Amino acid sequence: MQAVQILINALVLGSLYACIAIGFSLVWGVLNVINLIHGSFIVLGAYLAFGLYQSLHLSPWYAIVVAAPVFFVFGYIVQRLILNRVITAPVLVTLTLTFGLDLILNNAMIYFFTADYRRLTLIPPLGSVSFEGVVVPVDRLIATATALALTGLLYLLLRRSRVGRAIVAVRLDRDAAVLMGVHVPSIYAVAFGLGAALAGCAGVLMALIFPISPLTSTAYLGKAFVVCVLGGLGSVSGALAGGMLLALVESVGSAFFGPAHATTLSFLLLIIFLILRPQGLVGRKGFE
Amino acid sequence: MSRSNIALLVLIACVAALPLFGGAYALRLGTIACMYAVLALSWNVVGGFAGYPSFATAAFFGFGAYCGGVLMGKGFPLWAAAAVAGLLALVSAVALGAVLLRLRGHYFAIASLSLAEVLREVVNNATDLTGGGMGLNIPLASGAGVMAEATFFFYAMWGVMLITALMVIVVANSKLGFALNCIRQNETASSMVGLNTTLAKSIAFGLSACFVSVAGGIYAAWVHYIDPSDVFDILYSVKPIVMALMGGLGSPLGVACGAFMYLGLEEVVWRNYTHIHTGVLGVLIVMLLLFLPHGLSSLRFDRLWRRTKHV
């Protein structure tokens, strides 16, 4: 039974990891920018859910509906006003720029919300379902389902909508997309906005399960990065596969070695993947 | 030797005169200035010469601090502990570089970034040796007075800075520097014409790790107490990059000037905005990259009163 429990935990965790990573992966894949603000976006989303629940008693699933457009607009503006100016510069410049933006956002959060850990506790609590000794809390189940739904939604958006096809086109061949009449700067802004919206939604889901503090943003960022590398860049299925793999390794690893070595384990996994299969689980070579 | 390298050595020589003029506060600032210059100059070997965006500075700084701290706790004198820390960092960075430096661009950046996280976790878990999250106390070096000790550590850090600067100048003028330059411009082409790019990159990575680690060891002795969240602070990785970008990437003189300027800014910001100093640092970084992407050395004052001609 313990094996099943570990597997279920990994599934729950994996879908959340996928949700964290997918916006990051989109931005990295399309814009070729490592978005170091991603972790702070997630924490900000968690604070949004926390604030809405505290002040208006709005449940986190409604908070997602608020978070998505708010974060989209926020991300769109950041990309349009700041990042688009240096988008063609070398890696170091965009990386350091997003780091600077992250410092500003994170410090603002510490200033306004303090670094204390907070907890969103639903009243009344949702309880948990158990089946033959396997216990899963209901809030985690809901978070998992929502995370998977968001992933599916993004997939549909990229597949079916005009904007989605344009994003994929820019990712595949920027110059050809320009020739086909795609306005690249605004597609960049839309992609970054989508990434921010997904981060915000992921943050809302995280608020359901984990304590909230500005200090946790780097941990989320690290997870997003590892998932991206494991799964392959800029693809929805890649993020899902990478998230599941990371969660599985972490769950099994902490069952065997203890939870204190989780970062080292995921780093080792990362290095192994970077050396043996840099294109990721489902990625194709040369498709960066 | 080129004119800018001579200027760099003159600048370093001028810094050495600081104890003649300043009190304890100035010495403290001077020590930090020398430390920042060591970090920035070392980073420049990998980031400026070879063009690899390394975020591993914090990892090696923490490595050196803990190595030095543990050894001094076992009774080693400062110089021996720092030298051992540097040598260990050199060896392990060359070995690690052979693996990590297969990655390029973003991948290398983040892999080197996570190095600090891993080392921090290792240090946190090795409680017997390092004290874990409780931190590590380092025995006082001597019973001498406050000023004597401040002067001693200032000169120790200054000496490391001098050696680092000499190393950077030697590397820049050697075959290794030429190889790194080739790698920055086109790695594939340079490996095709028979350059052992992996070896060159690994040596550069090792050299940069070595001096950062020595600076870390001296820092540990200077502050007497280190803990993982302090010495593995990710800002130690980012600050050298900002300094290098500020002064002008790739030029040792520019990088050293950038380090001193950065310290000045940081001191002003810290003093006036304690609660939001990281935020102000972020604003500085963003402004710098948006308006002066090639550093302050690219600033042309004559442009201020001449209209820009759009091409």
Side-chain angles (χ1 to χ4, degrees), chain A residues 7 14 40 42 54 81 116 119 123 150-151 165 191 194 213 220 231-232 258 262 267-268 284:
Chain A
L7 211 63
S40 290
I42 293 174
Q54 292 286 317
L81 292 186
D116 293 343
R119 186 81 222 237
I123 305 165
L150 283 171
T151 319
R165 296 319 287 169
L194 275 177
S213 162
Y220 289 137
F267 180 73
L268 280 180
R284 271 170 281 171

Side-chain angles (χ1 to χ4, degrees), chain B residues 239-299:
Chain B
K239 282 174 186 173
I241 299 176
V242 177
M243 294 165 198
L245 285 173
M246 246 169 133
L249 211 59
S251 126
L253 175 66
V255 170
C257 289
F260 295 149
M261 261 182 308
Y262 177 85
L263 177 73
L265 277 174
E266 190 184 56
E267 197 57 25
V268 172
V269 168
W270 248 114
R271 220 187 274 166
N272 297 319
Y273 312 98
T274 317
H275 288 292
I276 51 165
H277 72 275
T278 43
V280 177
L281 175 64
V283 173
L284 275 178
I285 294 176
V286 171
M287 291 295 167
L288 182 71
L289 290 172
L290 285 183
F291 299 114
L292 274 178
H294 301 291
L296 290 171
S297 61
S298 68
L299 201 62

Side-chain angles (χ1 to χ4, degrees), chain B residues 22 30 80 86 98 112 118 143 147 157 266 310:
Chain B
S112 61
V118 171
M147 275 310 277
M157 214 55 115
E266 190 184 56
H310 290 285

Side-chain angles (χ1 to χ4, degrees), chain B residues 132-159:
Chain B
M134 296 282 289
L136 184 70
N137 283 307
I138 291 128
L140 294 173
S142 64
V146 177
M147 275 310 277
E149 195 167 323
T151 317
F152 170 73
F153 280 114
F154 171 75
Y155 276 116
M157 214 55 115
W158 180 84

Side-chain angles (χ1 to χ4, degrees), chain A residues 63-94:
Chain A
I64 283 195
V65 185
V66 181
V70 168
F71 275 89
F72 180 81
V73 172
F74 188 31
Y76 191 91
I77 292 173
V78 166
Q79 175 69 31
R80 250 304 157 63
L81 292 186
I82 303 173
L83 280 176
N84 264 349
R85 287 161 175 262
V86 293
I87 201 85
T88 49
V91 177
L92 195 64
V93 173
T94 51

